Amino acid sequence: MPDRGGGPTGPRIRATGRPSRRVRTLLMTLGVLAVLGMAFTMFAGFWTDWLWYRSVHYSSVFTTTLWTKIGLFSVFGLLMAAGVGFNIWLAHRLRPPLSAMSMEQQSLDRYRMGIAPYKRWLLLAVTALVGLIAGASAAGQWRTWLMWVNGVPFHQKDPQFGLDVSFYAFDLPWYRFLLGFGFATAILSLIAAALTHYLYGGLRVTSPGARATGAATGHLSVLLGFFVALKAVAYWLDRYGLAVKSSDFKATGNWTGLRYVDANAYLPAKTILFCIAVICALLFFATLWRRTWQLPVIGFGLMVLSAILIGGLYPAIVQKFQVQPNEQAKEAPYVQKNLKATREAYGIDDTKVTEYTGKSTTTDKSKLRDDVDATASIRIMDPNIVSPTFQQLQQMRNYYAFPNNLDVDRYTKNGKVQDTVIGLRELNLAGIPKNNWINDHFRYTHGYGVVAAKGTEADSQGQPVFTESDLPSQGDLGTYQQRIYYGEKTNTYSIVGGPQKEIDYSDDSGEKTTSYEGKSGVSLSSPINRAAYAVAFNEPQILYSGAIGEGSRILYNRTPKERVEAVAPWLTIDGDAYPAVVDGRIQWIVDAYTTTNGYPYASRTTLGDTTADSLTATNNSRAVVAQQNQVNYIRNSVKATVDAYTGAVKLYQWDTEDPVLKTWMKAFPGTVEPRSAISQSLMAHLRYPQDLFKVQRELLTRYHVTDAQTFLTGSEVWQVPDDPTNKSGDAVPPYYLSMKMPDQSAQTFSLSTTFTPNGRDNLSAFMSVDSEADSKDYGKIRILKLPTSTTVDGPKQVQSKLNSEQDIASAIKLLKGGDSEVEYGNLLTVPLDGGLLYAEPVYVRGAGVKYPLLRKVLVTYEGKTAFEDTLDKALNKVFGTEGSDTGSSDTGTTTPPASSNPTVQEALNDAQKAFDAGQEALKKGDWTAYGKAQDELQDALKRAEDAQSKADKASGGGTKASSSPSPSSSPGSSVSPAASSSPSPGASASPSG
């Protein structure tokens, strides 16, 4: 009809109700565009992954993983689809020619007639759906397949069945997957066939006469027989599964392996049930000829009853009446197997346990003073405390930042190895002047330089003694590529190398620019690449921005752990990647582990729980990757490096005997370089990894004993103590320290921890592992076991005594004056002459300057304690090698606080006023007033010190008291004029920051 107006025109609908051709064309076009959009989105994800793996030269990892997934998806998807589809087709083929004329069948006729025109399409849809689900599930088993097909022997046999460990680690998981797939196929096929038989009259529920036709009976019986046959296989595999079965056992925690009841009840029960299941399956298959379910049903009922009685009730009776009355005697042989396997699986079987008295044998303690320096390089710069100090003194620009926790490494100068606290000045996007897309991704792209300080020294103001500092960095590390494009804090993408220049760094002459010259990242010269990344990163500007041009490359996946995990997805990554300057380049060093959950008899542990401590609780970036992984075998089999400039990833074989690594090297040939490829300069910076050490120390709380009877009593169970320096309730972290154990002739770089008895705070053992990679004793674990008949103070008790000592408590209270905050550094424990020396740095954050400075050092040995300005003074005080102890307390601490002297107190009050005036001037940028205040502060502190010295001499002390006034002990004066240093242009104390 003609348009008469009165409304908007538009596509007209015909009288038939069908859309017009124009509408159909529009809908079809929109549909095609939607499909193309989804297809390109999927392509973009695939294409960018391929480009990234190719850019890091690990394309074989991508292709191997991809083709394995495709193969598993295709094979098992087709098998599932074929199995279900064939049984549906067969059930339809075996339908009876005529259905009984009953109400049930008349109702079903409507459904049969409804689906009749679409039977073929319905069959295809059902089989395609189950095939896709099964294929996707199978694709997720690519690791299981690769380990099975490439598995190498361990050359170690389990004590129960005499099979190589590789059967449990590589073969059994794959067999279990196949068994699970078989069960799924049998159940789905049985359900589909039964529904089809019911729909076409082969099965009848309410109709008179036989409930099933002979054809339906035979078909379903075969499927049931197949299911029961699989159950027989499951019973047989369960026998071997007992060797890796987890169960809670009060003596061992997460026990793995056979116990008495397993070997004497469950194992024979599984064998009997296997035989019954085989007979039952044969009875089901026999219905092809007998056409009756009478015998199979009886057999199936017998199998179920046997599973209840033999598989459940009988083992419970054995446990109740044989094991519990004499548990230790019954379980001892199996516990012994668990002890041996667990110690082997975690690499703690060669642990050397030595009895240690915990008491010094030298009566004249002054003779031990020189031994302290020879025994340990006591680190007073705590890398977990001083990051804000690095930040304040060496940040230089707000767009740089240091990690929350710095690292400890070793560097050699003039032939002497120095424990060094090190951190990188990484990019901090939160601190750039203005955030926008160009600044965030083109202008500010990298950090700059290494900052390092001596671990065993602080200057007179409590600041780190830097060995590498300033911008550009300079110092003991020589010349190296300082730009940091890949780091722990670099978690966004950057586009470099194109027409847009990058901010390099700033100095007195202004900003310096650069352009990335490395070959890292993916080229954006191709329009396809740009479009793919625009979709992948959901950033359309990548497609059309003029800042991208010839030579532009996109950098992403930039954290060291992220890169190593991507190129080696079969590795578990240590939580702490650390930097080192090696051959003129900054290299991130990443420790990586091979693990399995299938080592027979070895107890399991959850990595996230075992490696947790007070540091991971506050800094999740230090947590191990794959925290939920349960393992019962672990090896630090790979050392990886990531170049901070190019992002190049290298994997080195570290454990040359590990069969798990050999298996993965077969699966991914060429990805791991041999150990011989590690240069000597890199070897000097490799160390024993913390997360492996934490796993081992947790296991050694129980598995340090080798006798089953002692193990079962639980009398020798230890625990890792809580961190005494805070109230978090989390485990104390292990610490790196150059030290000498009693059986060693010289100091070695070590990783150490302490143990306390279960439920108590006194010390039970000290554990250390040689961490120098080029040492012949690398990885050797030594435990000094203290006697149970005497009590030696543990870390928590030592910390408590230090805090409760009257003179020390008064001095700490003085340090907290003026809203300052006291922070305790790592409480270090060092074995010395049969006793144990504790040392702890104490830092103060001033009210005006919010970064910690070293103010005091606590030292205690054999009941004598000192709280001094420096480590040397504290050691001299404890060992009585400087002056006399007249006027000191019984614990060898200090004279009463300086505040008891009126003259001293008056001077300290003047110092506080001068300090406050200086801080106010600093905020206003009044450098004249600031300088005047600093002079007054210095004068007041000098008067206080002179007055205290006179008081000491008058009392006959003859030595400078540890609480004598100094910049660190003025009220609230955690920052003195020297502490923040004289302000200079660009210095951290300037108003501009």
Side-chain angles (χ1 to χ4, degrees), residues 11-309:
R12 294 192 298 272
I13 304 297
R14 295 182 180 178
T16 59
R18 295 178 59 192
S20 66
R21 178 177 298 178
R22 183 185 302 174
V23 173
R24 293 200 305 272
T25 303
L26 177 61
L27 293 175
M28 185 176 296
T29 302
L30 291 175
V32 170
L33 289 176
V35 171
L36 289 176
M38 289 187 291
F40 188 79
T41 300
M42 296 174 61
F43 168 78
F46 164 81
W47 185 242
T48 53
D49 285 348
W50 160 249
L51 292 174
W52 187 85
Y53 275 96
R54 191 175 65 175
S55 72
V56 293
H57 308 294
Y58 282 88
S59 55
S60 63
V61 174
F62 179 81
T63 54
T64 299
T65 304
L66 178 65
W67 286 116
T68 302
K69 290 179 178 178
I70 291 175
L72 292 173
F73 178 89
S74 303
V75 170
F76 287 94
L78 288 173
L79 285 175
M80 179 64 78
V84 174
F86 172 77
N87 281 284
I88 293 175
W89 173 85
L90 185 60
H92 180 266
R93 182 74 178 268
L94 296 176
R95 68 189 184 280
L98 295 173
S99 301
M101 295 307 294
S102 64
M103 293 298 296
E104 179 184 25
Q105 292 303 316
Q106 289 177 19
S107 299
L108 291 174
D109 273 340
R110 289 177 295 174
Y111 295 102
R112 287 193 288 263
M113 293 175 63
I115 67 173
Y118 310 107
K119 285 191 296 186
R120 180 174 299 176
W121 293 108
L122 185 61
L123 177 62
L124 290 175
V126 171
T127 55
L129 178 62
V130 297
L132 287 172
I133 295 173
S137 175
Q141 298 294 322
W142 63 271
R143 289 181 176 86
T144 307
W145 162 261
L146 288 175
M147 293 184 78
W148 178 68
V149 78
N150 295 288
V152 300
F154 276 67
H155 300 297
Q156 289 178 292
K157 298 185 182 299
D158 82 278
Q160 181 66 42
F161 301 103
L163 298 175
D164 191 90
V165 172
S166 61
F167 171 80
Y168 301 94
F170 305 141
D171 300 343
L172 190 58
W174 178 248
Y175 296 153
R176 282 177 165 168
F177 163 72
L178 291 179
L179 188 63
F181 178 82
F183 275 125
T185 304
I187 293 171
L188 290 175
S189 297
L190 184 63
I191 293 172
L195 288 174
T196 305
H197 280 298
Y198 176 70
L199 182 63
Y200 287 97
L203 290 178
R204 306 179 184 92
V205 178
T206 61
S207 300
R211 298 300 184 192
T213 63
T217 300
H219 183 196
L220 296 179
S221 294
V222 169
L223 290 176
L224 286 169
F226 179 64
F227 176 85
V228 175
L230 289 175
K231 189 60 181 174
V233 176
Y235 282 133
W236 189 256
L237 286 181
D238 284 347
R239 298 170 68 255
Y240 302 108
L242 292 172
V244 289
K245 175 181 69 70
S246 287
S247 60
D248 289 330
F249 189 39
K250 62 183 180 181
T252 64
N254 195 344
W255 168 285
T256 304
L258 286 84
R259 294 160 58 185
Y260 180 89
V261 69
D262 296 314
N264 295 278
Y266 280 110
L267 187 58
K270 296 292 184 181
T271 305
I272 294 170
L273 289 172
F274 163 76
C275 296
I276 294 174
V278 169
I279 295 171
C280 186
L282 293 175
L283 292 175
F284 272 109
F285 291 139
T287 56
L288 282 173
W289 296 274
R290 293 179 55 86
R291 300 293 183 179
T292 177
W293 279 344
Q294 185 176 6
L295 286 179
V297 168
I298 293 173
F300 188 78
L302 176 62
M303 186 179 76
V304 173
L305 183 62
S306 300
I308 295 172
L309 296 178

Side-chain angles (χ1 to χ4, degrees), residues 639-709:
K639 301 284 188 181
T641 62
V642 178
D643 192 291
Y645 183 74
T646 66
V649 181
K650 290 187 178 296
L651 307 176
Y652 298 100
Q653 182 183 17
W654 184 247
D655 189 332
T656 57
E657 302 299 323
D658 177 31
V660 181
L661 177 60
K662 291 179 179 179
T663 295
W664 287 119
M665 290 175 68
K666 281 182 64 180
F668 296 95
T671 57
V672 181
E673 298 186 32
R675 180 168 177 157
S676 58
I678 301 176
S679 65
Q680 284 300 314
S681 53
L682 174 59
M683 185 74 75
H685 295 282
L686 300 182
R687 67 189 191 190
Y688 201 82
Q690 290 190 55
D691 284 338
L692 175 60
F693 183 79
K694 286 189 281 189
V695 169
Q696 291 174 326
R697 76 171 178 178
E698 181 64 32
L699 268 296
L700 283 167
T701 59
R702 301 187 306 272
Y703 287 91
H704 62 276
V705 302
T706 55
D707 175 65
Q709 294 293 341

Side-chain angles (χ1 to χ4, degrees), residues 570-830:
W570 33 273
L571 291 174
T572 299
I573 311 302
D574 188 271
D576 184 24
Y578 61 98
V581 177
V582 181
D583 297 328
R585 307 195 72 86
I586 300 172
Q587 298 283 355
W588 288 99
I589 300 175
V590 183
D591 285 287
Y593 310 109
T594 46
T595 63
T596 181
N597 198 23
Y599 197 100
Y601 274 99
S603 291
R604 288 189 172 91
T605 186
T606 303
L607 291 180
D609 296 337
T610 311
T611 59
D613 59 26
S614 61
L615 293 183
T616 62
T618 57
N619 184 5
N620 192 53
S621 64
R622 294 292 291 268
V624 66
V625 178
Q627 295 186 53
Q628 300 307 312
N629 277 13
Q630 270 209 336
V631 304
N632 67 353
Y633 171 94
I634 186 170
R635 290 290 185 272
N636 175 213
S637 53
V638 171
K639 301 284 188 181
T641 62
V642 178
D643 192 291
Y645 183 74
T646 66
V649 181
K650 290 187 178 296
L651 307 176
Y652 298 100
Q653 182 183 17
W654 184 247
D655 189 332
T656 57
E657 302 299 323
D658 177 31
V660 181
L661 177 60
K662 291 179 179 179
T663 295
W664 287 119
M665 290 175 68
K666 281 182 64 180
F668 296 95
T671 57
V672 181
E673 298 186 32
R675 180 168 177 157
S676 58
I678 301 176
S679 65
Q680 284 300 314
S681 53
L682 174 59
M683 185 74 75
H685 295 282
L686 300 182
R687 67 189 191 190
Y688 201 82
Q690 290 190 55
D691 284 338
L692 175 60
F693 183 79
K694 286 189 281 189
V695 169
Q696 291 174 326
R697 76 171 178 178
E698 181 64 32
L699 268 296
L700 283 167
T701 59
R702 301 187 306 272
Y703 287 91
H704 62 276
V705 302
T706 55
D707 175 65
Q709 294 293 341
T710 305
F711 189 82
L712 282 166
T713 63
S715 60
E716 292 289 332
V717 175
W718 300 337
Q719 67 182 15
V720 179
D722 294 339
D723 192 340
T725 64
N726 58 60
K727 298 179 180 179
S728 65
D730 298 298
V732 62
Y735 50 83
Y736 289 104
L737 189 69
S738 290
M739 59 175 292
K740 180 177 69 174
M741 291 289 278
D743 64 334
Q744 293 179 299
S745 58
Q747 291 184 22
T748 58
F749 193 62
S750 305
L751 188 56
S752 305
T753 193
T754 53
F755 295 108
T756 58
N758 194 26
R760 290 183 289 158
D761 293 326
N762 56 289
L763 198 68
S764 57
F766 176 84
M767 172 182 171
S768 180
V769 63
D770 191 328
S771 298
E772 290 188 2
D774 52 0
S775 167
K776 63 181 178 63
D777 285 338
Y778 171 83
K780 184 174 183 179
I781 299 174
R782 297 176 173 88
I783 292 180
L784 302 180
K785 183 177 179 293
L786 280 80
T788 56
S789 57
T790 59
T791 301
V792 178
D793 287 345
K796 191 174 182 178
Q797 292 172 319
V798 170
Q799 186 71 44
S800 178
K801 288 183 178 180
L802 293 176
N803 292 339
S804 61
E805 168 62 43
Q806 182 177 359
D807 293 339
I808 295 176
S810 299
I812 290 176
K813 184 177 181 180
L814 191 62
L815 290 176
K816 291 181 178 179
D819 295 327
S820 296
E821 298 177 8
V822 171
E823 294 184 34
Y824 296 101
N826 36 221
L827 180 60
L828 303 175
T829 309
V830 177

